[in-house]
Amino acid sequence: MSGPNAAPQPGPPLWLLAELTYRCPLHCAFCYNPVDFATSGPELSTDDWLRVLREARAAGSVQCGFSGGEPMQRDDLEVLVAEAHRLGFYTNLLTSGVGLTPERAAALKAAGLDHIQLSFQDSTRELNDFLSHTRTFDLKQRVAAMIKDNGWPMVMNCVIHRLNIDYIDRIIEMAVELGAEYLELANNQYYSWALLNRDQLLPTREQLERAERITNEYREKYGDRIRIFFVVPDYYETRPKKCMNGWGNVFLTVTPDGTALPCHTAKMLPGLAFPNVREMGVREIWYESEGFNRYRGDGWMKEPCRTCPEKEKDLGGCRCQAWMLAGDPAAADPVCDKSPAHHLVTEALARAERGEGTAMPLVFRDPAASRRLAAGEG
Amino acid sequence: MSAAEPGPRVSRRFRLQWEEAQNAWVLLYPEGMVKLNQSAGEILRRCDGSRTEAAIVAELEDAFGASGLADDVANFLAMARAQQWIET
């Protein structure tokens, strides 16, 4: 193929994200799982997942993340990790630590699990208090000890938002105290549940700048002892992120019901039929399905992206954000200040500055709220 | 490096692996991957602790019918140390 509109033949799906379940003991108001998760079809069986792992590995996948929901809720997790390890995957478990006992940690180690990413997440509904909540800290401490005992690298992740960003010093100190070697401070991205709660979760510019400054001070203080990654929220940028490093370029997500997606939120996009691993093999999904080919290359782009000198750099940003904010999945990501819909982002920031909407109650992720939202009851 | 080992070894923080689909050696680490070019892969696959740097150079010169690789290998190993890909 040639010409400006041709989608280049993609490389292999290097990253497989296996979302094993939407079940989760937590109720995070910033969860990226779809708001209608409770109406999702039955979970894939163990055999289905084993086949997906084999097919993905044969197609060239090498990093495998087990996620959810809370993946510890699946009692076949150890079986899946063992097969992924046997196949030559580098295996990552993304967990809140709830449900991880010393016995299961030892079984996961024996199965060949390479890495656990432990999230600081709120185990209570008292978001404001979660840092001082001893139960949360006790849990993290127990899990951190298990991670060390099994010789895994200690990688922690914390989603940062308006309600916890002012405590970033305490978050970093807690990570250091728990022996974290890596800490990812991931500013909330506004999808799914986080979009519902955006007015309550979006920090002000002043909060953000303070948090970055403090993070830099801690980097200097601790040096190599802990590597801190600070992921800036894209709403405060003027150019969009190169979402998923390109649509259908590296990432393959398989949702609990077997839907294959180019990113974990793409199911929201209208007019796209995504294949299911129960009906189609991974190689065919990746190279041939309409869902994965739609936004590859730049043939789908409209103005201002189509003639933008930076289009290769960000590939027009995030398709989901374009759909959520501008109502068109082929539009420029409204984070870009060249987008005609950019005012929607700056207006959200202005509301954050004024603190509008912050008195509204948070909508917490739980099955009852999900069913209400799926039924359009808001 | 343990006292018994004469040469550099790939760090336990990384896993070195041949990937057929990429036709390359890769270094895997938590949620990430470094795809190595051919010469980097050929050097790192020999960093198992049992070979001294001089032995690695000699093996490579023999395998590729080349000479004078010592500086290239030394430069690469210095970079690999700075990246913490290898221990000592």
Side-chain angles (χ1 to χ4, degrees):
Chain A
M1 288 193 289
S2 64
N5 293 339
Q9 171 76 1
L14 296 175
W15 236 112
L16 172 67
L17 184 69
E19 291 185 336
L20 298 181
T21 180
Y22 285 137
R23 285 174 285 147
C24 187
L26 307 187
H27 308 283
C28 303
F30 47 77
C31 184
Y32 74 74
N33 283 165
V35 290
D36 61 357
F37 74 87
T39 61
S40 173
E43 291 182 5
L44 293 180
S45 68
T46 307
D47 284 346
D48 288 330
W49 277 117
L50 292 173
R51 182 173 47 77
V52 168
L53 291 171
R54 289 177 200 128
E55 290 177 1
R57 182 71 183 130
S61 297
V62 61
Q63 283 282 354
C64 178
F66 293 100
S67 175
E70 172 49 67
M72 297 302 305
Q73 298 271 318
R74 289 273 304 214
D75 56 16
D76 57 357
L77 178 63
E78 291 82 348
V79 175
L80 302 180
V81 168
E83 179 66 2
H85 176 72
R86 191 189 67 77
L87 290 165
F89 277 106
Y90 192 93
T91 51
N92 306 273
L93 174 63
L94 288 72
T95 179
S96 66
V98 178
L100 188 65
T101 59
E103 292 73 27
R104 289 200 82 182
L108 287 165
K109 184 69 182 181
L113 182 66
D114 290 297
H115 155 235
I116 293 180
Q117 185 205 83
L118 178 62
S119 320
F120 277 115
Q121 268 159 10
D122 184 18
S123 62
T124 76
R125 287 181 175 245
E126 305 303 317
L127 249 177
N128 284 304
D129 297 337
F130 92 106
L131 284 166
S132 56
H133 203 275
T134 52
R135 224 177 61 191
T136 303
F137 187 73
D138 289 349
L139 168 75
K140 301 308 174 201
Q141 206 163 30
R142 279 200 310 279
V143 173
M146 287 179 225
I147 289 173
K148 292 237 153 195
D149 289 348
N150 284 287
W152 284 307
M154 184 68 188
V155 182
M156 307 196 78
N157 171 284
C158 185
V159 174
I160 301 296
H161 48 71
R162 187 183 186 102
L163 302 173
N164 67 10
I165 193 167
D166 292 335
Y167 306 105
I168 201 140
D169 51 343
R170 289 166 57 192
I171 294 171
I172 296 171
E173 279 168 12
M174 192 186 290
V176 169
E177 200 179 326
L178 293 171
E181 292 154 82
Y182 303 90
L183 172 64
E184 184 178 75
L185 300 168
N187 272 280
N188 208 172
Q189 307 270 338
Y190 295 94
Y191 299 88
S192 308
W193 297 87
L195 183 65
L196 283 178
N197 293 306
R198 190 178 66 185
D199 280 346
Q200 296 94 317
L201 295 176
L202 190 60
T204 65
R205 186 175 295 276
E206 189 188 344
Q207 282 183 300
L208 181 67
E209 286 171 355
R210 177 179 173 274
E212 276 196 278
R213 191 180 69 242
I214 290 173
T215 301
N216 284 328
E217 288 166 9
Y218 274 98
R219 282 180 178 138
E220 281 191 25
K221 179 175 171 187
Y222 288 114
D224 284 343
R225 185 167 154 199
I226 180 167
R227 290 187 67 184
I228 307 174
F229 302 91
F230 189 90
V231 184
V232 176
D234 61 353
Y235 273 50
Y236 280 98
E237 305 278 5
T238 52
R239 287 290 177 272
K241 57 185 179 270
K242 187 180 183 181
C243 200
M244 307 314 287
N245 206 29
W247 179 275
N249 185 39
V250 177
F251 286 92
L252 168 64
T253 296
V254 178
T255 65
D257 71 356
T259 308
L261 301 172
C263 88
H264 32 277
T265 58
K267 205 172 179 176
M268 71 169 76
L269 298 176
L272 264 181
F274 288 107
N276 192 294
V277 295
R278 296 184 213 257
E279 286 139 25
M280 200 185 281
V282 166
R283 189 178 291 275
E284 189 183 354
I285 286 171
W286 184 254
Y287 290 106
E288 288 164 39
S289 72
E290 147 74 2
F292 278 77
N293 278 317
R294 174 73 71 91
Y295 299 112
R296 279 185 173 135
D298 58 13
W300 55 272
M301 284 182 184
K302 300 178 175 177
E303 294 300 346
C305 297
R306 184 183 286 274
T307 53
C308 180
E310 295 173 78
K311 69 177 175 183
E312 296 300 323
K313 200 167 145 193
D314 54 43
L315 297 172
C318 170
R319 298 305 87 227
C320 297
Q321 203 141 263
W323 159 242
M324 289 185 299
L325 301 184
D328 176 2
D333 185 333
V335 158
C336 183
D337 66 9
K338 295 182 183 179
S339 159
H342 183 63
H343 64 95
L344 296 171
V345 172
T346 53
E347 283 161 16
L349 296 179
R351 279 199 301 281
E353 291 301 323
R354 295 193 296 266
E356 272 173 36
T358 52
M360 292 284 290
L362 286 163
V363 182
F364 287 94
R365 175 210 193 273
D366 68 37
S370 173
R371 281 189 290 269
R372 270 199 312 279
L373 289 159
E377 292 165 25
Chain B
M1 152 175 131
S2 89
E5 289 184 350
R9 160 193 284 278
V10 173
S11 161
R12 278 164 302 172
R13 291 179 179 211
F14 293 91
R15 192 163 93 209
L16 180 70
Q17 182 166 305
W18 173 256
E19 279 299 296
E20 197 62 45
Q22 300 176 64
N23 193 31
W25 289 88
V26 300
L27 278 174
L28 299 167
Y29 58 95
E31 297 174 61
M33 183 186 77
V34 180
K35 183 176 176 179
L36 300 166
N37 65 25
Q38 193 200 355
S39 53
E42 290 298 333
I43 298 170
L44 277 184
R45 63 186 286 206
R46 289 170 171 82
C47 292
D48 61 359
S50 76
R51 299 163 167 91
T52 62
E53 187 173 325
I56 291 170
V57 171
E59 254 188 49
L60 289 168
E61 290 181 343
D62 188 45
F64 296 96
S67 61
L69 296 182
D71 285 353
D72 289 345
V73 172
N75 287 338
F76 175 79
L77 290 178
M79 186 277 291
R81 261 180 219 109
Q83 298 286 334
Q84 301 181 329
W85 293 349
I86 55 172
E87 290 163 3
T88 165

